[in-house]
Amino acid sequence: MIYLDSAATSLLKPPSVVRATAMAMRTMASPGRGGHGAAMRAADTVFACREAAAELFHVPEPERVVFTMNATHALNIAIYSLVSPGDPVVISGYEHNSVTRPLHALGAQVRVAESPLFEPETAVGAFRRALPGAKAAVCTMVSNVFGYLLPVREIAELCAAAGVPLIVDASQAAGCVAFDAAALGAAFVAMPGHKGLLGPQGTGILLCFAQPKPLLCGGTGSQSVLQDMPEELPDRLEAGTHNVPGIAGLLAGIRYLSAQGVENIERRERRLAQRLTAQMRAEPRLEVFAAPDPACQTAVLSVRCRDMDSELLAQKLARYGIAVRAGLHCAPVAHRSAGTLETGTVRLSLSPFNTDAEIARTARVFHEILRAG
């Protein structure tokens, strides 16, 4: 199988991730729930992962690294910490349902800073116009549909000047694009563990630069006499038993990224994506959504056939052993912004483990399918 669905889940992992997850299941209990060896090994591993994530994203205190079930969980914590029912909230035109559905559930007044695909300057202008009077803002760093690298730094500066707290969704950026989370000045930065960070499913991270409100209440293994959640991070947000095997695997994934260098991974993935883009553009029946400036796009590419349903095209690719994702990708706002809401797209998303040969094979299969009708 040629796996080109890493924007959903990084199925291809470093072997160290699998080993670490399995080892944790055999040797680790729960952190903060005992002083015996199995509990202490778990505590050491969980803290080591906090430290590794803090170093990767330039977070000054590891305690600000909070473990969650996934990015959706992290985003819900951030949104419910900052937004009250009826509050005006500004979002980009490329947000995922993990942002828009919590805002809808809260009854927030959502202002979409609409801008065309791959036009970062226009996106900044749209945020500038939409921010006055807002109580919070949310912006994805990279579109999960199109790989569009939004101008988050400029948007963060606008939010800071306006006194509007910003939530950054780094779901498609973490591990794929090097960035300094602390320098952004955002209130919260959310990310999954199972995408670019190469960890197992069921893991996520929320970087907290503002005081959050707990989404769940329960045991933390600390300050057990209190009936309120502790004020201190990370305990304030980590009620219940940790996913220790998942966090152990996530630690291995982060260490792999740190050893390889995120900048090097980004450079290699982008080269492969540009090669795939060029070969897709040679097919006249395909519409290819690629940035004029390659610096504005990661290794996520969407295409659609002018005369074939996107889901059908993805099914035909699957018969050749090529795994992609078709449809709306849980991001109708992004498809509305790009004009693809009625058709969806076929998304091809790369990982550090894809090869030149796989890119060439994928292009040949596309051409075979389209020539066959």
Side-chain angles (χ1 to χ4, degrees), residues 3 21 26 42 47 83 123 151 160 204 234 245 285 293 352 369:
Y3 189 76
T21 303
R26 293 195 299 270
F47 187 69
V83 180
R285 291 173 64 191
D293 179 2
I369 290 172

Side-chain angles (χ1 to χ4, degrees), residues 145-223:
V145 181
F146 302 102
Y148 172 26
L149 187 59
L150 276 80
V152 170
R153 290 177 181 83
E154 293 85 348
I155 289 167
E157 290 172 1
L158 289 176
C159 290
V164 177
L166 173 66
I167 299 167
V168 173
D169 179 0
S171 293
Q172 299 295 333
C176 303
V177 177
F179 65 93
D180 184 328
L184 284 175
F188 299 100
V189 180
M191 63 192 71
H194 70 281
K195 298 181 191 287
L197 294 182
L198 305 175
Q201 293 100 318
T203 59
I205 289 173
L206 181 65
L207 305 179
C208 299
F209 301 99
Q211 183 67 1
K213 296 178 182 177
L215 195 64
L216 297 173
C217 295
T220 59
S222 64
Q223 302 186 53

